[in-house]
Amino acid sequence: MKTLPLHHSQQILSEDETGITVKLRLRITNDFVMELLSRSRSVEVVAPHTLRTRLYDTLRQAAERNKPIETECD
């Protein structure tokens, strides 16, 4: 996040051993959502709630589509 900011408006609010909290001021686009999804293992959206819900729903649907299939060969 420090070396490759998500957006030019990015401001670091706090930093400690658990992570970095940043503030962004931008319009939420599909490209931005895809960027967050590409970092989903290390990013937590605190606000806005609608973006957090959108990411959660997208990841839940992806997990549902890709859950393991039980086969007779397993």
Side-chain angles (χ1 to χ4, degrees):
M1 297 295 288
K2 289 171 73 172
T3 58
L4 293 171
L6 287 170
H7 190 261
H8 65 83
S9 69
Q10 179 172 309
Q11 297 175 345
I12 297 176
L13 299 179
S14 67
E15 181 177 2
D16 59 25
E17 64 280 345
T18 62
I20 297 173
T21 301
V22 299
K23 177 182 178 179
L24 303 168
R25 186 161 178 85
L26 54 85
R27 185 176 306 251
I28 298 170
T29 63
N30 285 333
D31 287 341
F32 180 69
V33 171
M34 294 304 290
E35 181 64 30
L36 290 177
L37 288 169
S38 74
R39 300 178 187 209
S40 63
R41 294 188 78 171
S42 61
V43 170
E44 177 184 359
V45 173
V46 178
H49 179 71
T50 54
L51 177 58
R52 185 178 174 104
T53 301
R54 183 173 173 182
L55 291 176
Y56 174 82
D57 289 342
T58 301
L59 292 168
R60 185 181 46 76
Q61 291 168 5
E64 186 63 31
R65 280 191 306 275
N66 291 289
K67 66 182 173 183
I69 301 171
E70 293 183 29
T71 63
E72 292 180 21
C73 298
D74 287 345

